[in-house]
Each structure stands twice: as structure tokens, then as C-alpha cells.
């Protein structure tokens, strides 16, 4: 998840430019960070998505991106998103027109555990702050990968709250990229 220096994953401040990349067509990430992002998608065996991410066009966006950049190694991740099994976690059933996509309906913890059981390896999650926060609250996250952008959001949604004050993580890796984003991988400490 992309985050600002001050821990926000979006900004309520009009005109804020805290993040280097808004997932649009101009990708200012440096080649070293692009490679890391592509390697991440190559290493997982599935994607967990929130229902709003799908209904707001996440899969359509990356299909268009893949179609616009055929054979481009920087955009390998966009093709990979289409190839990987996807699990849409929702308490409210919804149909999916996307191939290789399973809608898992029910309470968050139970649905997420079902998706984990169906995967053949590690899953990566893409969702908004509320979805990420809910997964963290239910102790469903083993590792955090935060892309800390070199900007301040000022005010906005966060993925951590007071209910997680007793959680702790171990630093698995920190990767400073040439564009200024610090990629930080944290592993959950299990008691």
C-alpha cells in the first residue's frame, strides 16, 4: 500500500501531491522500484480484492494498461493481475464478469481464510484504507509492504488505529528507491 510520510494512504487536503504515482498513465517510479513491484506480482499466487475495488474499476483499469503496453517489461505486473487468481472478499454477494475471479461471500475473517486456503501460495491484497484496516484488525495480515512516498498528506485515511496498539512487526527489508519511495516490508510478530 502506498502511504505518505505522515502515515496517510490518501489525502483530504485539496491539491495534495503526497504520492508520486496516482496509478495513472504517467509512471514516475524509478526503474529499481518498478522492478520490485513487478517481482512482487511475479512472486504471489493470487490477489485479494475488496468489492469496492472491483466495482470501481480496478480490474478494468489494469486490463486497459496491459493492452496499452503489450510486451513492456515495466508493465508486466498489469498482465500478471489479469493472469492471477483473484478473490473478491465481500459480505454482500456480487457477480464477477472477470475470468479467474472468485467472489467469496461472508464475514471478512471467514472469507479471507477461505481465499487463503484456496491459494497455492502467498496472496497480495489491493484495497482501500478501510479494507486494509479491517484485515489488520482481524489479524489476517502476515506481512505489510508499505511504499512510503516522500510527501506529506496532511490529513487523510490511515490503515492503523488504536485497536492495533499492541501489534508489532519485525523489519524484513527496507529498500530505498532512486525516486525517493522507501519500500518497507514488515513481518507480523506472532505471540
Amino acid at each position: 500500500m502506498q502511504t505518505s510520510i505522515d502515515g496517510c494512504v490518501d489525502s483530504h487536503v485539496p491539491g495534495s501531491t503526497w504520492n508520486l504515482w496516482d496509478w495513472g498513465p504517467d509512471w514516475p517510479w524509478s526503474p529499481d522500484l518498478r522492478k520490485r513491484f513487478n517481482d512482487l506480482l511475479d512472486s504471489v499466487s493470487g490477489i485479494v480484492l475488496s468489492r469496492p475495488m472491483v466495482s470501481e474499476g480496478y480490474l478494468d483499469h489494469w486490463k486497459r494498461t496491459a493492452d496499452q503496453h503489450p510486451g513492456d517489461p515495466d508493465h508486466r505486473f498489469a498482465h500478471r493481475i489479469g493472469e492471477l487468481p483473484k478473490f473478491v472478499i465481500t459480505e454482500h454477494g456480487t457477480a464477477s464478469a472477470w475470468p479467474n475471479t472468485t467472489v467469496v461471500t461472508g464475514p471478512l475473517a471467514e472469507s479471507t481464510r477461505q481465499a487463503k486456503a484456496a491459494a497455492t501460495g502467498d496472496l497480495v491484497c489491493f484495497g482501500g484504507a478501510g479494507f486494509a484496516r479491517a484485515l489488520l484488525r482481524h489479524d489476517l495480515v502476515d506481512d505489510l509492504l508499505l511504499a512510503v512516498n516522500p510527501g506529506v498528506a496532511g490529513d487523510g485515511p490511515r490503515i492503523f488505529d488504536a485497536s492495533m496498539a499492541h501489534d508489532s512487526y519485525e523489519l524484513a527489508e527496507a529498500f530505498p528507491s532512486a525516486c525517493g519511495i522507501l519500500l518497507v516490508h514488515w513481518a507480523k510478530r506472532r505471540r
Side-chain angles (χ1 to χ4, degrees):
M1 178 160 274
Q2 289 201 81
T3 182
S4 61
I5 289 173
D6 56 339
C8 298
V9 297
D10 198 357
S11 180
H12 295 307
V13 178
S16 173
T17 57
W18 68 270
N19 60 339
L20 292 184
W21 186 31
D22 63 3
W23 305 105
D26 299 319
W27 193 10
W29 283 10
S30 51
D32 57 343
L33 187 57
R34 291 176 184 216
K35 181 180 181 330
R36 287 286 179 130
F37 190 61
N38 277 297
D39 289 350
L40 169 68
L41 269 289
D42 283 342
S43 72
V44 299
S45 61
I47 301 172
V48 171
L49 297 163
S50 65
R51 182 186 45 80
M53 283 289 280
V54 175
S55 64
E56 293 170 9
Y58 174 86
L59 296 173
D60 293 323
H61 173 78
W62 293 120
K63 180 175 184 338
R64 278 191 309 275
T65 301
D67 291 346
Q68 291 167 355
H69 301 278
D72 180 350
D74 275 349
H75 290 85
R76 187 174 74 242
F77 74 91
H79 297 275
R80 188 80 173 126
I81 288 169
E83 298 165 357
L84 285 167
K86 288 161 283 298
F87 303 93
V88 180
I89 306 297
T90 179
E91 291 189 6
H92 315 290
T94 181
S96 175
W98 277 91
N100 212 11
T101 301
T102 303
V103 177
V104 187
T105 305
L108 178 75
E110 181 182 319
S111 298
T112 304
R113 287 186 186 102
Q114 287 176 18
K116 283 183 171 185
T120 58
D122 290 335
L123 294 170
V124 65
C125 171
F126 294 110
F131 187 59
R133 189 172 37 256
L135 292 171
L136 288 163
R137 279 185 188 150
H138 285 88
D139 196 25
L140 297 167
V141 177
D142 298 318
D143 293 271
L144 287 169
L145 188 60
L146 301 177
V148 183
N149 282 252
V152 176
D155 180 38
R158 301 168 187 275
I159 60 171
F160 301 104
D161 63 24
S163 72
M164 297 167 228
H166 300 289
D167 292 348
S168 65
Y169 295 81
E170 290 184 64
L171 180 64
E173 179 185 21
F175 173 76
S177 67
C179 65
I181 290 178
L182 177 63
L183 198 59
V184 186
H185 174 187
W186 299 96
K188 176 82 184 261
R189 281 196 177 120
R190 299 290 174 189
R191 296 183 176 110

